[in-house]
Amino acid sequence: MSAPTATSPFLLSGAEGPLTIRTETRGSTAVLVPSGEIVHGCTTVLDPVLGKLPGGTDGLVLDMAEVTFMDTAGLQFLERLEDYSGLAGISLRTVNWTGQPRRILEITGLSVPATESDPAGPASDQPPPDTGRLLASLRSDQGLSAVAAERAEQVERLQEQVQQLEQAMASRPVIDQARGILMAVESCTADQAWDTLRDASQHANTKLRDVAEALVTVSTGGPAPTEPVRTALRDAVDRQQRRVS
């Protein structure tokens, strides 16, 4: 029969996102399961968790299965765990490195065992990475460069998302105007006008905003749309009319 499991969550809220650490007591082994990102300030979440570990704990396992990102603050996190285990005289190991944290270890040359089914008892013959080796690798220039590269990629993805949102917001007024024109001219609903614009965009292989802008421009006395856009709009209107008739 397995030992009862105790759970003690602590939450850190910050600009980088929350980090939660769940503790599970399995016999005399305490398993720490951080969830989220290990970033600046993470040790303020770890310290109270370590302070509440039950007496008689003789083993400490860091289960990384739920960690989605780790930057150079991961050094502080691992160092704090290593200091605690040294002072308490208990063993420390890490398991279940996945995703971005695992990629960092692989880039720095550390071999990582397959995901373990039970953090309290390794399922494979290959020993899990010890904290000393992890710290040495993460402190190396290669390790720090790997972490920096991962952070730069994440920032770039966020910047792309922001740019896409800004473009969508800038496009909304002209699209709404084009929908209004179609609703007035074709006596259709807002949804039908939207479907017509989207249909025309797909068949003309032109961005929806550009199709909408061409329609608004010609309705205010500007130049006519290009032939592909004009044809796509006419055909889209015909298809919409056939669907509702």
Side-chain angles (χ1 to χ4, degrees):
M1 181 180 296
S2 60
T5 297
T7 302
S8 304
F10 293 85
L11 180 65
L12 169 68
S13 295
E16 302 287 352
L19 174 71
T20 302
I21 301 178
R22 186 173 70 255
T23 65
E24 300 174 357
T25 303
R26 304 185 183 183
S28 59
T29 298
V31 181
L32 306 187
V33 188
S35 179
E37 298 186 352
I38 299 181
V39 292
H40 179 70
C42 56
T43 54
T44 63
V45 185
L46 178 61
D47 288 339
V49 174
L50 294 176
K52 291 188 176 183
L53 292 180
T57 299
D58 60 11
L60 193 59
V61 177
L62 176 64
D63 186 347
M64 295 286 289
E66 299 178 16
V67 176
T68 57
F69 185 86
M70 182 180 72
D71 63 10
T72 49
L75 279 173
Q76 300 171 358
F77 194 89
L78 293 170
E79 285 172 342
R80 180 70 185 93
L81 278 174
E82 190 177 49
D83 291 343
Y84 177 87
S85 68
L87 291 173
I90 61 178
S91 63
L92 169 64
R93 60 192 180 89
T94 65
V95 297
N96 294 337
W97 289 78
T98 62
Q100 183 264 354
R102 182 186 181 98
R103 289 199 301 274
I104 289 177
L105 298 190
E106 292 171 343
I107 291 172
T108 54
L110 277 176
S111 60
V112 186
T115 301
E116 299 173 5
S117 58
D118 183 4
S124 65
D125 295 332
Q126 185 180 6
D130 64 81
T131 312
R133 288 168 59 220
L134 292 176
L135 287 172
S137 294
L138 288 173
R139 286 194 188 99
S140 68
D141 291 341
Q142 187 179 12
L144 294 175
S145 296
V147 175
E150 289 291 341
R151 173 57 81 186
E153 289 179 6
Q154 187 184 56
V155 170
E156 184 176 355
R157 287 194 296 270
L158 290 173
Q159 289 174 337
E160 289 176 355
Q161 292 174 7
V162 170
Q163 186 176 20
Q164 290 171 359
L165 287 173
E166 290 176 343
Q167 290 174 348
M169 292 175 64
S171 300
R172 187 60 184 265
V174 70
I175 292 174
D176 285 344
Q177 290 179 52
R179 288 172 69 185
I181 292 169
L182 285 173
M183 290 167 64
V185 174
E186 302 298 333
S187 299
C188 61
T189 67
D191 288 342
Q192 290 168 348
W194 168 258
D195 290 340
T196 298
L197 288 172
R198 187 175 57 181
D199 186 357
S201 171
Q202 293 172 348
H203 282 80
N205 194 25
T206 304
K207 291 181 179 179
L208 193 147
R209 183 189 188 283
D210 293 340
V211 172
E213 189 170 18
L215 182 58
V216 171
T217 298
V218 72
S219 70
T220 56
T226 62
E227 179 58 32
V229 172
R230 186 165 62 251
T231 300
L233 274 169
R234 183 178 62 249
D235 292 346
V237 169
D238 290 342
R239 281 190 290 270
Q240 184 62 240
Q241 290 176 342
R242 286 196 297 270
R243 280 195 292 267
V244 299
S245 61

